[in-house]
Amino acid sequence: MEHDEKCNLCQETSLDVGESSSYGAVVICKVGSETDNMWLATLSPKTGGDPENDCTIQLMPHHHYTNFTEVNTNSELAKNYGLLFAKVSNALFQVMKDQDSEFTDPSPTRESSISIASYGKWTTWNEKKEHLHIKIFPFRNNIGQPYTVDSSFGRKEVHTDTETNEKFVKMDVVEKTMIKSELFTTLKDTLILLLNE
Ligand SMILES: [Zn+2]
């Protein structure tokens, strides 16, 4: 499907670098020469992490592709995804390195190491047909908790619900809040510079 009128992501895929969507996401990079092979990255206005430090960048194709099997049918689209993923990872690394005063320490502690995570999921034959998107974010604070595919998730302490006997593990609550406006402006300008030089 080229565009889906009801899709909020389709509405932002025609924006240019620096332009902002109705809910405040800003396009920071576009890769591709034609709309059928184009990918975009946007900086989200909210984060589930620390609103004074963290952020989330979203990658998505211009067209309303819903599944990576569709990306596999267009090699230029697949290549451009890889290029954008690498560019955004590097730009976010540069931003996090500059935020971390301990990073230049010759013997960095484990706390000062830089971790970046990505998340994406696609389902074949689902009802919802969501616009394919992948999130890249600093793996720290509440958005840096071990995920189900991590070995460390499997090592979490198992608790038992006293009423139902169900077993569960604990996670910290993640609430999305607006990134502080000064930080958002700095992040947006820095990322646009790094990604479009
Ligand atoms: Zn869409």
Side-chain angles (χ1 to χ4, degrees):
M1 193 188 302
E2 287 200 8
H3 263 74
D4 181 346
E5 299 283 308
K6 300 183 295 293
C7 172
N8 64 320
L9 299 185
C10 276
Q11 286 164 18
E12 48 197 84
T13 58
S14 299
L15 298 171
D16 285 325
V17 171
E19 289 185 329
S20 166
S21 76
S22 57
Y23 67 94
V26 173
V27 177
I28 54 172
C29 189
K30 283 175 136 177
V31 172
S33 53
E34 303 290 339
T35 54
D36 74 338
N37 65 34
M38 186 178 286
W39 280 82
L40 303 89
T42 60
L43 177 65
S44 304
K46 290 184 174 183
T47 177
D50 175 3
E52 300 199 27
N53 275 300
D54 294 333
C55 63
T56 304
I57 295 167
Q58 186 156 292
L59 309 188
M60 56 199 169
H62 175 87
H63 281 182
H64 190 93
Y65 296 113
T66 58
N67 195 293
F68 252 87
T69 56
E70 293 172 84
V71 178
N72 189 51
T73 64
N74 180 338
S75 63
E76 285 305 307
L77 182 68
K79 279 184 210 164
N80 287 337
Y81 165 70
L83 280 173
L84 186 62
F85 193 98
K87 282 166 73 90
V88 167
S89 298
N90 179 59
L92 183 57
F93 173 78
Q94 297 299 329
V95 166
M96 291 170 70
K97 186 164 69 73
D98 291 345
Q99 283 176 340
D100 190 345
S101 55
E102 290 175 58
F103 191 79
T104 49
D105 191 305
S107 57
T109 62
R110 191 169 163 77
E111 287 72 32
S112 74
S113 68
I114 288 174
S115 298
I116 295 174
S118 67
Y119 179 75
K121 179 183 86 224
W122 33 96
T123 310
T124 311
W125 312 124
N126 68 335
E127 294 287 308
K128 285 177 77 185
K129 296 281 178 195
E130 278 183 25
H131 194 133
L132 178 58
H133 61 285
I134 291 107
K135 293 172 181 182
I136 301 182
F137 50 93
F139 193 74
R140 62 188 181 194
N141 300 316
N142 284 2
I143 49 175
Q145 302 181 65
Y147 189 57
T148 52
V149 290
D150 290 322
S151 306
S152 46
F153 188 90
R155 289 196 296 268
K156 286 178 87 128
E157 188 184 349
V158 176
H159 300 270
T160 306
D161 188 297
T162 50
E163 287 177 12
T164 64
N165 275 328
E166 283 169 292
K167 297 204 182 308
F168 65 94
V169 294
K170 291 182 180 177
M171 284 188 87
D172 293 329
V173 174
V174 176
E175 266 182 294
K176 278 194 179 179
T177 49
M178 296 296 285
I179 295 172
K180 292 278 177 287
S181 68
E182 203 175 314
L183 172 69
F184 187 79
T185 305
T186 308
L187 282 174
K188 165 179 77 76
D189 292 345
T190 309
L191 289 167
I192 288 174
L193 257 178
L194 288 168
L195 289 164
N196 296 279
E197 58 192 6

